[in-house]
């Protein structure tokens, strides 16, 4: 796959993967690509755990599902993240960021614009939505044939110091390499992030994965081969919109926004 095409087609996978085991060759390619990322002084502060043990995956799924249920039930998910959600295509087109919720469970559709209100939360609770979403998430996670945990060495990752920031930049680049490699291998990847929001759940995952004192568990992803036919999850979104150049780039100083290209300006080059 061409690099630019790989970058342009890279996506987060919200749905299920094929049940097939990810070959060891592909698992190793993913972490080799991660390790090829740049890092400060070539410190390579990252470590990875490749998780294919069904019992461990099952427990990660349980924790993922339970934390999803808890976050939705307590209203924390929506209150924390409502600024990122868009409900109409026009707003999405204007802002070109965030997440457009374009698939909701049937009973919730009439309340789409009020989904963040207390009334909607009460309705969702009475319909058992937090539990349903947690169950969906649990299945998605535990049925993912591979998980990848990303860790940082604590002697490099010192929050508040420059090396802490360098580590985060480096790990971000390593993960992007994994993500792009997934695309070239016909695989998908998604963050399993809800356990990070509940400290006791994150601690349980650290214990489950036997993370030693000198390493910090930074993120967990679920991965697998993409199915031929994609079934959309109960709640799904589109987030492939990106800002225009004029919305994210300046020319020379922050006083001047970059001009968006027009077909004629690009021809003049
Ligand atoms: C730091 C970070 C945290 C993210 N957290 C989540 C998450 O919790 N759940 C999820 O499904 N995707 C998560 N994502 C993926 C983003 O939602 C996704 O990249 C964004 O919406 C753009 O969509 P795309 O990846 O399909 O282009 C995260 C991505 C990053 C870089």
């Amino acid at each position: 796959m061409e690099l630019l095409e790989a970058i342009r087609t890279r996506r987060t996978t919200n749905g299920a993967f094929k049940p097939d085991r990810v070959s060891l060759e592909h698992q190793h390619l993913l972490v080799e690509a991660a390790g090829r990322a740049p890092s400060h002084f070539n410190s390579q502060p990252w470590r990875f755990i490749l998780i294919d043990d069904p019992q461990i995956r099952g427990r990660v799924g349980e924790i993922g599902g339970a934390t999803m249920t808890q976050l939705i039930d307590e209203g924390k998910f929506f209150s924390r993240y409502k600024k990122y959600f868009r409900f109409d295509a026009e707003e999405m087109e204007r802002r070109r960021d965030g997440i457009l919720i374009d698939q909701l469970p049937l009973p919730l559709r009439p309340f789409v614009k009020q989904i963040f209100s207390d009334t909607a939360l009460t309705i969702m609770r009475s319909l058992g939505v937090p539990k349903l979403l947690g169950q969906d998430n649990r299945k998605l996670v535990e049925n993912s044939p591979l998980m990848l945990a990303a860790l940082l060495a604590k002697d490099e990752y010192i929050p508040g110091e420059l090396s802490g920031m360098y580590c985060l930049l480096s790990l971000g680049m390593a993960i992007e390499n994994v993500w792009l490699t997934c695309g070239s291998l016909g695989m998908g990847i998604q963050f399993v992030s809800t356990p990070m929001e509940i400290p006791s759940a994150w601690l349980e995952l650290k214990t489950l994965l036997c993370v030693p004192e000198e390493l910090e568990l930074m993120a967990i992803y679920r991965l697998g081969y993409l199915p031929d036919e994609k079934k959309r999850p109960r709640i799904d979104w589109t987030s492939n919109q990106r800002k225009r150049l004029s919305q994210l780039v300046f020319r020379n100083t922050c006083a001047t926004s970059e001009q968006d290209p027009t077909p004629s300006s690009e021809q003049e080059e």
Side-chain angles (χ1 to χ4, degrees), residues 10-12 14 99 179 190-191 193 237 239-240 242:
R10 184 211 52 77
R11 284 282 100 76
T12 297
N14 299 330
I99 284 173
W179 217 308
Q190 187 184 33
F191 213 133
S193 63
W237 57 69
S239 54
N240 55 5
R242 291 297 189 270

Side-chain angles (χ1 to χ4, degrees), residues 8-117:
R8 285 183 172 141
T9 54
R10 184 211 52 77
R11 284 282 100 76
T12 297
T13 306
N14 299 330
F17 299 121
K18 278 186 184 169
D20 313 30
R21 179 173 184 269
V22 177
S23 73
L24 196 59
E25 185 200 348
H26 286 173
Q27 294 189 29
H28 286 173
L29 272 176
L30 293 171
V31 281
E32 184 202 329
R36 279 279 144 206
S39 59
H40 54 297
F41 299 97
N42 195 24
S43 54
Q44 303 170 56
W46 44 65
R47 300 289 179 274
F48 299 98
I49 314 175
L50 289 163
I51 305 159
D52 57 5
D53 180 294
Q55 269 186 338
I56 301 181
R57 290 190 288 122
R59 188 62 198 134
V60 178
E62 278 170 8
I63 296 172
T67 47
M68 166 79 82
T69 297
Q70 186 180 336
L71 287 169
I72 303 230
D73 193 56
E74 290 173 351
K76 281 189 185 149
F77 183 83
F78 293 119
S79 63
R80 268 181 204 161
Y81 299 123
K82 63 180 172 193
K83 71 172 185 172
Y84 301 110
F85 289 99
R86 320 267 172 260
F87 294 98
D88 67 72
E90 182 280 319
E91 187 191 7
M92 189 70 177
E93 176 54 28
R94 183 166 35 84
R95 299 186 49 137
R96 302 177 77 91
D97 64 7
I99 284 173
L100 176 68
I101 303 292
D102 56 354
Q103 174 154 305
L104 270 179
L106 203 61
L108 287 181
R109 282 182 206 160
F111 312 104
V112 63
K113 298 247 164 167
Q114 293 90 41
I115 197 157
F116 297 123
S117 66

Side-chain angles (χ1 to χ4, degrees), residues 61 64-66 68-69 129-139:
M68 166 79 82
T69 297
V129 172
K131 212 169 158 199
L132 267 182
L133 293 180
Q135 282 166 354
D136 282 1
N137 188 258
R138 175 189 169 164
K139 274 189 233 149

Side-chain angles (χ1 to χ4, degrees), residues 34-255:
R36 279 279 144 206
S39 59
H40 54 297
F41 299 97
N42 195 24
S43 54
Q44 303 170 56
W46 44 65
R47 300 289 179 274
F48 299 98
I49 314 175
L50 289 163
I51 305 159
D52 57 5
D53 180 294
Q55 269 186 338
I56 301 181
R57 290 190 288 122
R59 188 62 198 134
V60 178
E62 278 170 8
I63 296 172
T67 47
M68 166 79 82
T69 297
Q70 186 180 336
L71 287 169
I72 303 230
D73 193 56
E74 290 173 351
K76 281 189 185 149
F77 183 83
F78 293 119
S79 63
R80 268 181 204 161
Y81 299 123
K82 63 180 172 193
K83 71 172 185 172
Y84 301 110
F85 289 99
R86 320 267 172 260
F87 294 98
D88 67 72
E90 182 280 319
E91 187 191 7
M92 189 70 177
E93 176 54 28
R94 183 166 35 84
R95 299 186 49 137
R96 302 177 77 91
D97 64 7
I99 284 173
L100 176 68
I101 303 292
D102 56 354
Q103 174 154 305
L104 270 179
L106 203 61
L108 287 181
R109 282 182 206 160
F111 312 104
V112 63
K113 298 247 164 167
Q114 293 90 41
I115 197 157
F116 297 123
S117 66
D118 288 346
T119 322
L121 189 60
T122 310
I123 295 168
M124 280 200 271
R125 282 194 193 118
S126 69
L127 294 171
V129 172
K131 212 169 158 199
L132 267 182
L133 293 180
Q135 282 166 354
D136 282 1
N137 188 258
R138 175 189 169 164
K139 274 189 233 149
L140 269 184
V141 176
E142 74 185 5
N143 292 327
S144 302
L146 183 67
M147 286 169 196
L148 179 76
L151 306 103
L152 282 172
K154 280 191 191 166
D155 59 342
E156 287 296 331
Y157 176 56
I158 305 166
E161 289 196 8
L162 259 184
S163 78
M165 196 268 284
Y166 290 156
C167 280
L168 291 179
L169 283 175
S170 305
L171 186 63
M173 292 186 262
I175 297 295
E176 176 73 349
N177 281 0
V178 173
W179 217 308
L180 293 174
T181 306
C182 276
S184 77
L185 298 175
M187 293 177 64
I189 178 168
Q190 187 184 33
F191 213 133
V192 181
S193 63
T194 50
M196 293 186 87
E197 312 230 6
I198 297 175
S200 58
W202 200 239
L203 192 63
E204 196 183 338
L205 282 175
K206 284 190 205 176
T207 310
L208 179 73
L209 301 175
C210 304
V211 175
E213 193 43 47
E214 63 274 19
L215 295 177
E216 189 68 54
L217 179 62
M218 301 302 293
I220 299 182
Y221 297 86
R222 61 178 196 95
L223 305 90
Y225 295 111
L226 291 172
D228 305 323
E229 245 182 84
K230 284 181 201 133
K231 192 166 167 265
R232 296 193 83 186
R234 231 182 278 268
I235 289 192
D236 199 17
W237 57 69
T238 340
S239 54
N240 55 5
Q241 192 69 280
R242 291 297 189 270
K243 288 181 183 294
R244 296 189 177 84
L245 289 191
S246 58
Q247 293 173 307
L248 79 134
V249 182
F250 302 102
R251 176 64 65 177
N252 295 320
T253 71
C254 292

